[in-house]
Amino acid sequence: MAIGIFRARPVRKAHVTPRVSFVIAARNEEARIAQKLENTLAQDYPADALEIMVASDCSTDRTDAIVRACGERIRLVRAPERQGKEAAQRLALLEASGDVLVFSDVATALKPDAVSTIVRNFADPTVGCVSSVDRFVDADGRVSGEGAYVRYEMFLRTLESRVNTLIGLSGSFFAARRDVCQQWALNTGDFTTLLRTVEMGLRGVIDPGSAGYYRNIADERREFDRKVRTVARGMTALAANRRLLNPFLYGLFSWQLASHKLCRWLVPFALMGAAVSNAFLVAQSSFYAATFAAQCVFYGAAVAGLWSRSRFLRVPAFFLLSNVAVLVAWFRYLRGDRITTWTPSERTSTLPQAGSS
């Protein structure tokens, strides 16, 4: 099978059971950590080959006490001071014994075969890291703007995986070989893990059979701050690894990286340019008047969608918020902000049912 001028690169999967270290990053998660551990202990992966670790980012609530009470199969690695999610994960990596590292967020529910399924990809020696697919479960079962975006993002990642390699991993649930995690970054561990994978001559792939299920943000407007942090941290990681944008050294991957990341972060400037130029051209023809009116209607619908529960309006609202968040991220990045600490998104206090839709 070929895609355009590029030949697809299938993953040679097989039943393998390397030693796995399952790392759960947590910061003040007393309301959900017990459910997450129960969900993880229910994995059908061989117990003697599955090491479960909780990387606590200096939690100040009962998170650590709950973990300690869960039995000998759970290892607690506690950061002595709050330094961020990746810093806590790095402490766990220093003590991990697995040949494959699996990372998952507390708010993400997994099916019982999730670890077994994602690990099968490492039977292929060309695979360095594997991303799950995101399954967004709204509190009342409805599809929101982010749900539509998540499906679009998963579609793009599937195409990237078939052609060459992924550009990003789902931070809520992904796996990587131990070797590619040696230089663990303190800004975006998942993104940098993918970049290290490519530098080592390996590739990142998406596994459609591996899914992480998570619920809606408890207060969706707080999602804006999370998006700003995510983009700003991504900018920092890309700047530190800008050598990967050299097509003479990294070929197709350089184009993928520039297209998927850098060009996406430039979209707000293109939108503003289109709006301003269209405003000056309104009087020139009915065509420009119509396109300007269409823009006004779209942005008006987006603003209305910020306060509406209409499924129709939530998509343009999400589009608008995402691009404003990118603009704010540019501002924070250019003024020198380098974000390392984190506050987990306040989703509902219960994990969704893995396999729900």
Side-chain angles (χ1 to χ4, degrees), residues 1 3 19 64 72 108 119 141 146 151 155 165 181 192 197 200-201 212 215 257 272 275 293 308 318 325 338 352:
M1 176 182 179
I3 302 176
R19 182 159 181 78
D64 296 356
E72 296 181 355
T108 304
V119 166
E146 179 158 355
R151 290 196 300 274
F155 172 71
T165 180
C181 298
T192 305
T197 295
M200 294 177 65
R215 291 191 186 277
L257 187 60
M272 291 188 296
S308 171
F318 177 79
R338 298 298 179 261

Side-chain angles (χ1 to χ4, degrees), residues 168-184:
L169 303 172
S170 293
S172 60
F173 177 38
F174 71 95
R177 295 186 188 274
R178 185 183 188 87
D179 291 347
V180 305
C181 298
Q182 293 306 304
Q183 297 181 1
W184 192 253

Side-chain angles (χ1 to χ4, degrees), residues 276-355:
V276 172
S277 60
N278 203 164
F280 281 105
L281 293 170
V282 165
Q284 300 298 316
S285 72
S286 58
F287 172 78
Y288 290 123
T291 56
F292 185 71
Q295 291 186 66
C296 292
V297 169
F298 178 83
Y299 290 120
V303 172
L306 298 178
W307 290 273
S308 171
R309 293 186 61 81
S310 166
R311 295 175 61 183
F312 178 76
L313 295 178
R314 292 175 77 180
V315 173
F318 177 79
F319 178 84
L320 177 63
L321 276 179
S322 295
N323 283 286
V324 173
V326 172
L327 283 176
V328 175
W330 272 113
F331 174 76
R332 296 189 63 174
Y333 173 75
L334 293 175
R335 76 178 183 184
D337 288 0
R338 298 298 179 261
I339 305 168
T340 56
T341 57
W342 68 311
T343 300
S345 299
E346 292 187 6
R347 304 179 188 269
T348 57
S349 60
T350 58
L351 268 66
Q353 180 181 355

